[in-house]
Amino acid sequence: MSEHRRKPPQPEGSGRAAARRAAQQRPGRGAGSTRDVVTTSYSGPYADPRGHGSRAEARRATQRGSGTRGRGAGRPDKRFVNYPRSDKDGWQRFVPSWKLVGGTALGFFAVITAGAGIGIAAVSTPNPNLAAKAQNNVFFWDDGTQMVATGGTMNRQIVPIDKIPKSMQNAVIAAENESFETDKGIDPMGIARAVWNMATGGSTQGGSTITQQYVKNTYLDSDQTLKRKVTELFISMRLGVSEEKDTILAGYLNTAYYGRDAYGIQAAARAYFGKDCWNLTPSESAFLASVLKGPNLYNPDGGIGPAATPEENTKRAHLRWAWVLDREVAVGRMQKSERDQYKEFPKLVDSEQARSLSGQTGYLVETAKQYAMKVAKITPEQMARGGYQIKTTFQKPKVDALVKAVDETRNDFLDEKARPEYDTFVQFGAASVDVKTGAIVALYGGPGMDKKHFSNNANTIGVPVGSTWKPYVLAAAMEYGTQNSKGQGISPDSKYMANDRTVINNREGKPLRDNAGQPFRQKNESEYPYGYVTLDEAMEKSINVPFAQLVFDVGHNKVREVAKATGILPDSMNPNNDASFALGTSTPSAIRMADSYATFAASGIHREPFSVRSVQKDGKDLPGFEPPKEQRAMDDSIADNVTKVLENVVQNGTGTKAKKLGRPAAGKTGTTDFNKSAWFVGYTPELSTSVTLFRTDPNSPDKKLISMKGVGGTDSIHGGDIPAVIWTAYMKDALKDAPVKAFPTPDPIGVIADSAGAPSPSPSVSSSPSMSVSPSPSVSPSPSPTPSRGSKPSCKPWQLCIPDSGGNTDGGSDGGGSTGSPSPTPSGRPGRPGSSNWGSFADVG
């Protein structure tokens, strides 16, 4: 073609070619881009000066401009692992290729296989003769002398598979590992879950196969680590390919923990049924297989923690036992006709360990053991293996003094032969706490585990505390005030209506309603028309009506906050916002009540109760056993004013029997509706002690409380009677060498905020009486415990004998307000008339 026929050059940026080039440009690389892009098209004499280079330079510039990461546009990536992928764009760069996935999986499998082979070759198989050997646990008194050594005697009995009945083998395989006879010893999914949980700090999990559990049982250390879990896995894999199934099953049954300090099937058969394992029945075998799920929760004796009570454990054991039998039928290891023969739960013998711990020792050991396990996170299995040296807070002289006080009073009070319908099943419980530290120095849990009384009455929950709850209501009013005090704490000189059957109003000022829809009227024990009385006097006489109204004026949750701050566990509190909440329908233990009242004695400083000072294992101290740190539960002025009010209870009110202590003391009596429990909780500046009396069959399934009317030949039992007598006898002995100390003198507190309808101005006679001054009428009765009542013989220490005067009842009872004296009270009112007609919400002390 001739030169003159050639088309002239088109201007840059015009024409179809330029449009195509613009459309093909990648986003971000156009004219608006901050990067300069060199093109390969000829641009004539007006091109950018950078275009004056060689063609090679132009090509390199073009490659940089178009990007090597474009699809098919870049050079091949010569990395060993092409990731992120150079031949993909955007998010696709991070999608691994099938070659990468396959190669990684193959490499991982090769590493795991090699590692497993090395691990299996490196470990040895377990030896059941070296597993589960127990040592003694040694418990010491507070002074360092030995109290008792327990355990270490039942756990060394190994039996061959031919001595283990087929019924036991079938029960365990059916319940725990149906595929045991065909599997390779491991459960990959179970192992994966366990390893993941342990690697991420979650809860530890045991192996799910019998082989894995057998391997786990051979380790006596308490470490729950990933290294240990991997080692167990290797051993399980080795056993799965090298050992007979009978050997593995025998090893498991001979090393498993069954509770009652029994390791191995032979020890368990002796512990629960008093027989050799080869004589077990299918029903008994099903029970032992049930316990293997977790002795702490399935041993009917009970375990550690609030969910492991004997009652709850018994329920679980019954359900699990029946399930195991049904499971044997379902997997073909028992005929349905044989299963139908086992309708009743097998009968267990008494615990040998419990029988060996006589008197209070069993209760002391169990209390210390539970505390040690909780603090150090020791499992029941680890504790049963033994080797722990546990120094307790219990002081032998004080424990002996408490036992003496209870036994002497019981022997003088009860006669089961003469009054079997009344004097049987009467229970005593007590606990004593050091005010300055919170250490439990003594407790009384019952006549002894060796006498088949396995419940610790000092730690029993479910026994209402009665009017010993009223100080929390008063303390809450002092701290938070009432609806009538405009947010200010109130004084105990505030007056409230106290007449029997007074209508109680809710926080909106509207009457509460009873079950019939009528206005609810709170009952006192006495029908005496007290009129308006101060809260101090209401506490002194333990009158119900003022506190039933006060709890609504303060707010139930405020009272709960105060009680919780002093150490009362929320689970033991009545959850209902009713009038009876103020009168003691909550059920803390004797230990908790003693510790809680110690907060008042310590001017508002609370210390959690504790029973162990130190624990050693293999010569090393375990951490966490320092005395609990003190916490301020309330202002000292509130605590000291509560103490002043409770001193008045002892000096002039329902707790006058405690005056025989002969030193400053404060306390409160408590007696519940229908006379089902009676309490006295009191303290000095040194010790806080609670004593409870109730009636129940300790071996009954529901532990139902029985009325104490008629017990000891009396019409009713009150907190100011037997409990106060025991308290006084113990405290006198426990403090015989301690110097006499007085409580702090409290500053005046709060504003006088009378309830609605109270007379104004307040009469001067209603002012709070001094603790140190008792009007002469109140001290007219003889302090001797043996005044005469008419022509009757002298009273015994636990009886309250006063002349019949105006129908007064036992002055030591605390439901309606007797001062313990036939003479007028400081307010000029007579003592409480003897009415026992209590309403459904009536608390009598």
Side-chain angles (χ1 to χ4, degrees):
M1 183 179 296
S2 61
E3 286 289 331
H4 69 275
R5 300 286 302 270
R6 184 179 299 168
K7 292 182 179 180
Q10 297 294 324
E12 185 177 10
S14 65
R16 294 180 178 177
R20 284 195 300 272
R21 285 196 298 272
Q24 290 171 353
Q25 267 195 327
R26 292 175 54 189
R29 302 300 173 107
S33 173
T34 58
R35 291 181 59 180
D36 294 324
V37 179
V38 180
T39 67
T40 58
S41 61
Y42 178 71
S43 57
Y46 301 104
D48 191 284
R50 287 175 293 178
H52 292 290
S54 65
R55 293 182 177 180
E57 291 176 345
R59 283 196 300 273
R60 285 194 294 270
T62 301
Q63 290 173 352
R64 288 195 299 269
S66 60
T68 61
R69 291 175 293 180
R71 183 173 298 154
R75 294 180 302 173
D77 195 309
K78 296 183 178 181
R79 291 176 296 170
F80 181 73
V81 178
N82 183 20
Y83 190 83
R85 299 172 64 180
S86 63
D87 57 339
K88 297 294 181 182
D89 190 25
W91 61 269
Q92 292 180 328
R93 297 178 60 235
F94 299 97
V95 178
S97 66
W98 67 268
K99 294 180 180 180
L100 179 61
V101 173
T104 302
L106 183 62
F108 180 78
F109 179 77
V111 171
I112 291 296
T113 301
I118 295 172
I120 293 173
V123 297
S124 59
T125 58
N127 183 353
N129 292 291
L130 299 178
K133 288 187 176 180
Q135 306 175 56
N136 283 331
N137 289 318
V138 184
F139 293 81
F140 298 90
W141 294 103
D142 184 71
D143 62 4
T145 59
Q146 183 172 320
M147 178 195 303
V148 68
T150 67
T153 60
M154 301 176 63
N155 305 292
R156 302 173 187 262
Q157 305 173 62
I158 305 298
V159 293
I161 192 67
D162 59 1
K163 291 288 186 179
I164 301 175
K166 198 67 177 178
S167 65
M168 185 67 197
Q169 300 177 43
N170 287 334
V172 171
I173 293 174
E176 300 196 24
N177 188 184
E178 177 188 349
S179 63
F180 168 72
E181 293 175 336
T182 58
D183 63 35
K184 299 302 182 182
I186 62 170
D187 174 10
M189 293 303 297
I191 287 293
R193 286 193 302 269
V195 172
W196 173 257
N197 283 343
M198 299 181 73
T200 58
S203 61
T204 59
Q205 293 183 349
S208 58
T209 69
I210 287 176
T211 305
Q212 291 171 255
Q213 293 180 60
Y214 169 40
V215 172
K216 181 171 68 72
N217 290 343
T218 64
Y219 285 85
L220 301 183
D221 62 273
S222 59
D223 294 335
Q224 295 288 341
T225 62
L226 182 60
K227 177 182 177 181
R228 170 178 163 169
K229 182 58 63 178
V230 172
T231 303
E232 290 176 4
L233 171 62
F234 289 149
I235 297 175
S236 299
M237 293 169 64
R238 178 166 182 163
L239 286 179
V241 297
S242 65
E243 292 288 352
E244 296 291 335
K245 290 294 184 178
D246 281 352
T247 302
I248 297 173
L249 183 59
Y252 172 58
L253 295 176
N254 277 311
T255 57
Y257 179 60
Y258 295 78
R260 287 195 174 182
D261 283 356
Y263 277 90
I265 182 62
Q266 171 67 358
R270 301 297 306 176
Y272 285 102
F273 300 109
K275 61 171 64 173
D276 294 316
C277 68
W278 47 87
N279 294 323
L280 290 171
T281 68
S283 177
E284 293 165 344
S285 295
F287 167 78
L288 292 180
S290 302
V291 175
L292 286 176
K293 184 171 177 63
N296 191 59
L297 294 177
Y298 289 87
N299 177 5
D301 300 339
I304 306 301
T309 63
E311 295 78 15
E312 292 300 318
N313 279 18
T314 299
K315 293 178 183 177
R316 279 189 287 265
H318 278 250
L319 292 174
R320 180 74 176 176
W321 165 79
W323 179 86
V324 170
L325 290 172
D326 292 338
R327 181 67 178 167
E328 290 186 68
V329 175
V331 300
R333 292 185 175 272
M334 179 183 286
Q335 295 297 321
K336 181 66 166 59
S337 58
E338 183 182 6
R339 165 65 182 94
D340 293 339
Q341 299 175 21
Y342 307 118
K343 300 296 185 181
E344 295 185 3
F345 192 74
K347 183 175 178 57
L348 310 181
V349 300
D350 295 334
S351 169
E352 180 67 30
Q353 181 187 18
R355 290 198 297 267
S356 67
L357 299 175
S358 61
Q360 298 307 300
T361 305
Y363 308 120
L364 300 175
V365 165
E366 283 303 307
T367 301
K369 184 189 295 184
Q370 291 194 27
Y371 184 84
M373 294 170 67
K374 177 182 177 181
V375 171
K377 295 180 173 57
I378 302 170
T379 67
E381 292 83 356
Q382 292 163 0
M383 180 61 71
R385 292 185 184 118
Y388 297 94
Q389 293 186 318
I390 302 172
K391 183 179 180 181
T392 73
T393 61
F394 304 125
Q395 299 178 17
K396 190 176 188 304
K398 289 184 172 61
V399 172
D400 292 342
L402 189 53
V403 172
K404 179 182 177 183
V406 172
D407 287 348
E408 289 183 350
T409 304
R410 179 203 285 116
N411 294 337
D412 194 39
F413 169 53
L414 299 178
D415 190 341
E416 295 187 19
K417 293 182 179 179
R419 295 183 294 270
E421 70 275 27
Y422 296 112
D423 288 6
T424 55
F425 304 137
V426 179
Q427 308 293 330
F428 296 81
S432 188
V433 172
D434 187 306
V435 167
K436 300 299 182 183
T437 66
I440 306 171
V441 298
L443 58 80
Y444 184 90
M449 293 183 176
D450 56 317
K451 297 181 179 179
K452 300 185 179 182
H453 184 93
F454 301 109
S455 299
N456 183 355
N457 292 344
N459 201 31
T460 296
I461 57 175
V463 180
V465 296
S467 288
T468 59
W469 193 260
K470 290 174 181 174
Y472 304 123
V473 183
L474 179 61
M478 290 180 175
E479 181 171 353
Y480 297 106
T482 67
Q483 296 181 125
N484 302 322
S485 68
K486 299 179 180 179
Q488 300 184 66
I490 71 170
S491 165
D493 291 332
S494 302
K495 294 184 296 298
Y496 270 69
M497 169 56 69
N499 286 345
D500 184 48
R501 301 185 66 82
T502 295
V503 172
I504 304 300
N505 295 324
N506 61 21
R507 290 186 64 81
E508 288 73 38
K510 298 179 181 179
L512 299 180
R513 299 290 173 175
D514 60 21
N515 294 333
Q518 299 299 313
F520 170 72
R521 299 179 178 273
Q522 177 62 55
K523 288 191 64 62
N524 297 322
E525 187 184 10
S526 170
E527 297 178 358
Y528 184 82
Y530 293 101
Y532 284 89
V533 301
T534 66
L535 294 174
D536 188 6
E537 185 177 354
M539 188 76 75
E540 171 194 318
K541 297 177 172 63
S542 202
I543 311 173
N544 292 332
V545 167
F547 292 97
Q549 184 59 61
L550 181 62
V551 74
F552 283 96
D553 292 349
V554 175
H556 291 72
N557 284 338
K558 298 298 184 184
V559 178
R560 291 188 179 96
E561 290 176 15
V562 167
K564 180 181 178 181
T566 67
I568 301 298
L569 300 178
D571 288 347
S572 67
M573 298 184 199
N574 173 8
N576 302 313
N577 293 337
D578 50 29
S580 64
F581 174 80
L583 309 180
T585 48
S586 296
T587 58
S589 68
I591 292 174
R592 283 288 167 177
M593 288 301 291
D595 176 71
S596 176
Y597 269 47
T599 305
F600 299 134
S603 296
I605 298 295
H606 173 246
R607 299 169 179 85
E608 276 289 292
F610 69 104
S611 57
V612 175
R613 294 198 182 279
S614 66
V615 175
Q616 283 191 345
K617 182 74 163 63
D618 299 328
K620 298 180 180 179
D621 286 322
L622 301 186
F625 289 96
E626 302 80 13
K629 295 181 179 180
E630 63 182 38
Q631 296 179 328
R632 178 156 292 282
M634 63 185 69
D635 190 80
D636 56 355
S637 63
I638 295 174
D640 292 343
N641 272 277
V642 170
T643 294
K644 180 181 178 182
V645 172
L646 297 185
E647 277 191 287
N648 188 41
V649 172
V650 172
Q651 290 296 317
N652 306 307
T654 59
T656 53
K657 283 187 177 296
K659 289 172 65 174
K660 290 185 64 178
L661 179 61
R663 61 171 68 213
K668 184 68 187 77
T669 54
T671 311
T672 56
D673 202 359
F674 303 111
N675 207 201
K676 290 184 177 180
S677 63
W679 290 74
F680 186 80
V681 187
Y683 53 91
T684 66
E686 301 85 7
L687 280 181
S688 177
T689 302
S690 64
V691 179
T692 180
L693 186 70
F694 56 98
R695 191 179 178 208
T696 185
D697 180 357
N699 297 315
S700 63
D702 56 1
K703 304 294 191 298
K704 184 178 181 180
L705 295 178
I706 308 170
S707 175
M708 291 189 291
K709 292 183 179 181
V711 169
T714 62
D715 292 338
S716 60
I717 305 297
H718 294 81
D721 299 334
I722 306 300
V725 168
I726 294 173
W727 183 92
T728 305
Y730 160 72
M731 293 288 280
K732 184 177 290 186
D733 200 346
L735 297 172
K736 60 184 178 182
D737 297 325
V740 176
K741 293 183 180 180
F743 292 110
T745 301
D747 295 327
I749 190 173
V751 298
I752 295 179
D754 300 337
S755 65
S760 182
S762 300
S764 60
V765 70
S766 65
S767 62
S768 178
S770 171
M771 296 299 149
S772 59
V773 179
S774 297
S776 57
S778 67
V779 298
S780 58
S782 170
S784 169
T786 58
S788 61
R789 179 183 291 195
S791 59
K792 293 184 179 180
S794 296
C795 293
K796 298 194 175 185
W798 50 268
Q799 293 176 316
L800 191 69
C801 296
I802 55 177
D804 289 328
S805 175
N808 287 356
T809 59
D810 182 346
S813 65
D814 52 328
S818 169
T819 64
S821 168
S823 305
T825 63
S827 64
R829 298 189 180 95
R832 176 186 55 206
S835 170
S836 60
N837 182 23
W838 309 319
S840 59
F841 287 96
D843 176 82
V844 292

